[in-house]
Amino acid sequence: MMYKKKKVTLFIQCLVDTLYPEVAEAMVSVLEDLGLELDCPTEQTCCGQPAFNAGHQSEARSAAKKFIELFEDAEVIVSPSGSCVNMVKNHYPDLFSADSSMLERARAVAAKTFEFTEFLVDILKVENLDARFPAKVTYHDSCHLNHCLGIHLQPRKLLANIRELEFIEMKDSDKCCGFGGTFAVKYADISSAMLEEKVQNIVDSGATVVTGCDMSCLMNIQGMLSRTKAQVKVMHIAQLLSAK
Amino acid sequence: MELTTKAYKQTAKKAIADPILQSALAGLQSRLGPATASLYENLPEGPDLRAKAHAYRRKAVDNLDIMLVTLAGKIRENGGEVHFAATAKDAVDICLDIAEKNNVKHVVKGKSMVTEEIGLNRALMDKGIEVNETDLGEYIIQLAGEKPSHIVAPAVHKTRKEVGELFTEKLGTPYTDDPPTLTRDARQALRKKFMAADMGISGCNLACAETGHITTVSNEGNIRMATTLPRVHVAFMGMERIAANLEEHQAILRLMSMGAAAQQIGGYVSYIGGPAAVDHADGPQAFHLVIVDNGRSRILADEEFREMLCCIRCGACLNVCPVYGKIGGHSYGSAYTGPVGAVVTPLLGGINEASHLCQGESLCGACRVACPLNLNLPRMLLALRAKLSEGDPRWNVKPKSRPEKMLFQVWSRINQNRKVYDILLKLGRLIQKIMPSSNHMIRRLPWPFSGWTQSRDMKPLAGKTFMELWKEHQGGRS
């Protein structure tokens, strides 16, 4: 376990920080139980993804610059959000393509940033966290995590080792939930139609909990589950992995 | 078709509410999406072939001038004529001119996207020339007076019943909704058109510079008939549709067949290098190739979008796109639909005019995974959005939304300063108390977030941020 003694710096998605702090706490508890020393720059805010996706590159660049300044001294950066990790890993270098010194710093930060389940399975080589969660659980593959970072086996391996958890694969688990940042607001009809299909697949799976590795998608899904009064709970994978 | 945000939203809304269309789109995607993916996984050459094919296409695009000159030279050597058309109008005029010189009254067409792009049918019909589409799907929608809604399955939005009724009305055949019977009815009607036609028009799926030929692919044999029976054959190709040599051409063609219809290779593949030679039993007396620019040079000149010219219009991205899967092809308001349309239509037709296309996608990246050539469409969607945010004189783009830009500028300032950020969060917590809510969820958000609560509740801000909890946690420990 090459990172065992390294300090892990927490990169907390703004939605988790402000809406779902319990997700970050669950991640902290998993990482601390593994004996890792944690650090958290409390000045951190949003990584700039919403601005970037909406085309506002200069605003995204200022967020990226702040992030790089806050995180570049870290040994390893871990986040409970696939899309934010994708932003740092794949888009920060794009944002600074015309500025060679910033580009180098962006690449250095990108290289040491990992999504939570990727960090556990690929870097720490941990698949069993001795968690116990008695429920029927289904998993939503977030697009940026799956299509852009190639992370889809890691969370499933971790879920497979949770005691008393019955895993149910839903239909089209890898299909977009329709969030897409400002897309959900600007093109609400299209986004809602996509989400309806996702929610139907979740309900049809018979699971009582839907989990994932990105609270953005899970927040979107939770929004419609709540509106339709579906009896399915939304939980981040860290919450399942920290359950005893 | 109208190219406006309003039209896009309205057509999309109608499409979403149409249960027949929804089931057709779901069927198409569940049939073709996974089947294509499994073909890619089992490529005999290994998955690297897709990256290699991307490099082949990129090389062809980077050396387009030499490729086209070589192709044109070889085709002329073989007795064919080659025309370069700078604009849609030029391309149409070249065809009208050929038709006039050859006294053409009846045209049969193989399916071609580029002729949709330039509006060829209308122009021919305005000159009193009868034009018949011969691809079954394309024929159906021509009879119905509609536009294609999918690059390779143009009539996917129509049911068997609708087709049966349409045939009874237009062809006078007894009503049936049995697909083999309907196909036979169409075939019988089309045979007469093939025999009577004096001009055949086709597209070009891919040309090959080394051999000097163009290739057409179909699953019905209709393009083969349209290009060999009439005395004149006019083929249209987008100027980028070329491969350097036969080896690269074959690799791309196979990948295209997989992307388009989850096939190892299309049912009918024709290689056409010129008119019939003296000793040939079949083939046209004259062969014309019209190479269409119509905005492609501008794409070629911009490194950010040049990759788009590597696209071979197979439609694989449509078959996995969750947005296309809900709104169908007609919502895109242009010849090219789905993710490819969302990038190429703004580039060809104006970025401001088609801003809704590049903004109306969720950036999920499924198209990138499905593209047989590994094109990064999401990257180009983002680049288009960036142009709309800041404007770009080179592309004649005006900034799209001042209020949105200002909102993000304010956001950016707040985001820079955690203290201000925290103060606003506190304010947010106060404001959300007066929002309509139930069961710990907010039921209605104000502008600009109101779209969210159209169909979803919103999780309210937590009492404390994680950063606050972390500070307490650290304080408790030391």
Side-chain angles (χ1 to χ4, degrees):
Chain A
M1 290 187 195
M2 56 183 290
Y3 281 99
K4 194 81 191 183
K5 289 199 181 90
K6 289 204 178 184
K7 190 186 254 186
V8 171
T9 302
L10 303 172
F11 159 25
I12 305 301
Q13 178 190 26
C14 54
L15 290 182
V16 169
D17 178 29
T18 58
L19 269 62
Y20 302 94
E22 63 278 13
V23 169
E25 290 187 298
M27 182 171 92
V28 165
S29 123
V30 170
L31 295 175
E32 283 187 338
D33 282 355
L34 288 167
L36 295 159
E37 194 188 337
L38 305 182
D39 174 32
C40 181
T42 52
E43 294 296 305
Q44 63 181 293
T45 49
C46 169
C47 69
Q49 188 184 187
F52 181 74
N53 283 354
H56 306 293
Q57 297 212 349
S58 43
E59 288 73 23
R61 203 169 288 123
S62 65
K65 192 160 176 287
K66 178 184 173 184
F67 183 93
I68 291 166
E69 283 162 1
L70 274 178
F71 283 88
E72 63 190 337
D73 292 334
E75 290 171 62
V76 58
I77 302 161
V78 176
S79 171
S81 161
S83 61
C84 307
V85 170
N86 179 54
M87 179 71 199
V88 172
K89 265 187 154 18
N90 292 324
H91 296 313
Y92 276 12
D94 289 347
L95 281 171
F96 297 108
S97 57
D99 177 344
S100 59
S101 76
M102 274 309 292
L103 177 62
E104 204 177 307
R105 290 167 71 189
R107 283 187 178 148
V109 167
K112 58 187 175 188
T113 303
F114 300 94
E115 187 274 327
F116 174 54
T117 65
E118 174 192 27
F119 180 66
L120 291 176
V121 175
D122 296 349
I123 307 299
L124 296 183
K125 313 283 180 203
V126 172
E127 291 180 15
N128 190 340
L129 289 149
D130 198 28
R132 176 182 162 272
F133 192 81
K136 289 181 179 175
V137 176
T138 194
Y139 176 79
H140 165 66
D141 282 283
S142 290
C143 299
H144 289 164
L145 197 81
N146 182 25
H147 294 145
C148 304
L149 298 171
I151 300 171
H152 57 277
L153 290 176
Q154 295 89 331
R156 287 181 172 79
K157 284 181 182 168
L158 291 163
L159 290 170
N161 286 315
I162 298 180
R163 280 181 286 124
E164 292 168 52
L165 182 148
E166 186 189 335
F167 182 72
I168 310 171
E169 196 74 65
M170 71 169 102
K171 180 173 178 257
D172 293 334
S173 57
D174 61 349
K175 208 163 177 182
C176 179
C177 71
F179 180 34
T182 52
F183 170 77
V185 172
K186 284 185 193 165
Y187 297 91
D189 288 327
I190 304 173
S191 167
S192 295
M194 291 159 72
L195 178 56
E196 251 169 55
E197 184 183 326
K198 176 59 66 180
V199 163
Q200 193 60 51
N201 288 338
I202 292 169
V203 171
D204 288 350
S205 76
T208 52
V209 173
V210 56
T211 192
C213 303
D214 197 326
M215 281 322 292
S216 332
C217 319
L218 292 176
M219 174 181 78
N220 186 42
I221 290 168
Q222 182 187 37
M224 190 174 276
L225 285 169
S226 160
R227 180 64 59 92
T228 58
K229 300 192 168 58
Q231 296 303 306
V232 183
K233 255 176 95 172
V234 165
M235 291 176 82
H236 188 275
I237 195 164
Q239 295 173 286
L240 302 183
L241 293 172
S242 66
K244 299 287 170 187
Chain B
M1 277 184 261
E2 234 184 318
L3 209 56
T4 63
T5 308
K6 202 173 150 208
Y8 176 69
K9 287 186 174 176
Q10 279 173 350
T11 330
K13 199 171 177 170
K14 250 190 258 165
I16 291 164
D18 177 351
I20 294 167
L21 179 66
Q22 289 303 312
S23 113
L25 292 170
L28 178 90
Q29 293 203 328
S30 64
R31 228 173 32 248
L32 289 179
T36 299
S38 103
L39 283 178
Y40 293 159
E41 274 169 29
N42 299 306
L43 281 165
E45 299 91 338
D48 286 354
L49 185 69
R50 292 166 71 199
K52 259 193 216 159
H54 185 171
Y56 296 159
R57 288 292 294 136
R58 188 59 211 228
K59 184 178 70 176
V61 166
D62 286 344
N63 299 288
L64 202 49
D65 47 353
I66 303 165
M67 300 275 167
L68 290 173
V69 166
T70 312
L71 173 76
K74 297 243 159 101
I75 286 182
R76 283 175 183 139
E77 269 171 39
N78 289 333
E81 286 191 45
V82 181
H83 313 258
F84 287 90
T87 63
K89 185 177 180 301
D90 292 348
V92 168
D93 287 347
I94 290 165
C95 188
L96 292 177
D97 188 44
I98 299 168
E100 198 186 338
K101 282 187 180 139
N102 289 281
N103 195 23
V104 169
K105 298 276 177 264
H106 302 279
V107 166
V108 281
K109 282 183 72 202
K111 194 171 157 298
S112 153
M113 294 307 296
V114 72
T115 60
E116 287 287 341
E117 174 190 323
I118 62 176
L120 183 66
N121 285 12
R122 187 74 265 153
L124 287 166
M125 289 189 282
D126 286 349
K127 291 279 175 194
I129 298 168
E130 185 187 312
V131 181
N132 285 289
E133 291 288 349
T134 61
D135 170 90
L136 179 59
E138 198 87 8
Y139 181 58
I140 291 168
I141 57 161
Q142 189 188 24
L143 287 180
E146 293 176 9
K147 295 270 182 191
S149 73
H150 186 282
I151 289 176
V152 294
V156 66
H157 58 284
K158 287 214 140 355
T159 60
R160 285 186 294 172
K161 186 168 164 282
E162 286 172 320
V163 175
E165 285 162 0
L166 185 70
F167 279 15
T168 304
E169 184 197 334
K170 302 281 178 178
L171 306 178
T173 52
Y175 173 81
T176 173
D177 60 6
D178 172 46
T181 314
L182 286 170
T183 310
R184 201 171 54 237
D185 290 346
R187 182 172 292 186
Q188 272 163 2
L190 283 170
R191 277 294 146 108
K192 292 186 193 122
K193 306 293 181 192
F194 279 125
M195 299 311 287
D198 1 67
M199 182 191 263
I201 295 178
S202 76
C204 159
N205 288 99
L206 193 65
C208 177
E210 180 189 40
T211 57
H213 79 265
I214 65 154
T215 305
T216 65
V217 184
S218 82
N219 276 314
E220 298 162 17
N222 62 305
I223 303 184
R224 194 178 59 161
M225 306 254 287
T227 56
T228 50
L229 285 172
R231 53 193 163 82
V232 182
H233 172 203
V234 183
F236 285 81
M237 69 177 265
M239 70 178 201
E240 77 284 9
R241 302 288 279 273
I242 191 163
N245 55 47
L246 207 52
E247 189 193 335
E248 297 177 7
H249 173 274
Q250 303 302 69
I252 295 161
L253 206 63
R254 275 180 52 223
L255 285 167
M256 188 190 79
S257 300
M258 292 180 195
Q263 290 173 304
Q264 292 288 351
I265 194 77
Y268 295 84
V269 182
S270 306
Y271 294 68
I272 301 163
V278 191
D279 57 340
H280 283 180
D282 299 311
Q285 295 156 18
F287 170 68
H288 296 264
L289 176 62
V290 185
I291 299 174
V292 181
D293 183 327
N294 197 31
R296 287 162 176 78
S297 290
R298 186 155 75 162
I299 302 176
L300 182 67
D302 190 329
E303 187 49 47
E304 219 169 1
F305 298 113
R306 185 178 275 198
E307 188 185 6
M308 199 56 216
L309 293 183
C310 298
C311 171
I312 46 173
R313 310 283 191 268
C314 69
C317 53
L318 278 62
N319 300 334
V320 296
C321 174
V323 173
Y324 177 88
K326 289 294 163 206
I327 68 175
H330 286 152
S331 304
Y332 292 80
S334 72
Y336 305 109
T337 57
V340 40
V343 178
V344 85
T345 304
L347 291 175
L348 293 176
I351 298 174
N352 280 109
E353 288 75 8
S355 63
H356 55 286
L357 295 183
C358 47
Q359 293 185 325
E361 298 278 335
S362 73
L363 294 178
C364 79
C367 50
R368 188 181 175 185
V369 179
C371 175
L373 300 177
N374 285 341
L375 298 193
N376 194 342
L377 291 173
R379 181 189 67 71
M380 288 184 274
L381 288 170
L382 285 163
L384 286 167
R385 290 181 185 189
K387 296 217 178 306
L388 284 164
S389 161
E390 321 232 320
D392 184 343
R394 273 191 316 158
W395 279 89
N396 207 11
V397 184
K398 290 185 223 52
K400 168 133 162 92
S401 168
R402 292 276 178 210
E404 183 182 307
K405 185 75 183 167
M406 279 163 65
L407 215 62
F408 272 99
Q409 279 166 344
V410 172
W411 167 88
S412 175
R413 299 293 286 274
I414 298 166
N415 201 48
Q416 291 301 308
N417 188 329
R418 183 78 206 198
K419 283 195 182 71
V420 178
Y421 188 89
D422 281 333
I423 291 168
L424 284 165
L425 282 173
K426 286 200 175 85
L427 191 66
R429 280 183 208 127
L430 287 175
I431 295 172
Q432 73 184 12
K433 285 191 180 138
I434 55 165
M435 300 272 177
S437 65
S438 72
N439 208 12
H440 309 294
M441 296 287 277
I442 300 168
R443 290 189 65 83
R444 215 165 43 247
L445 287 171
W447 184 89
F449 309 107
S450 43
W452 180 271
T453 41
Q454 179 184 311
S455 61
R456 324 163 177 83
D457 295 336
M458 180 71 203
K459 172 82 163 61
L461 293 162
K464 278 181 185 170
T465 63
F466 174 73
M467 297 307 147
E468 289 172 289
L469 293 168
W470 174 263
K471 284 183 206 159
E472 289 171 14
H473 172 80
Q474 293 304 91
R477 206 185 262 168
S478 56

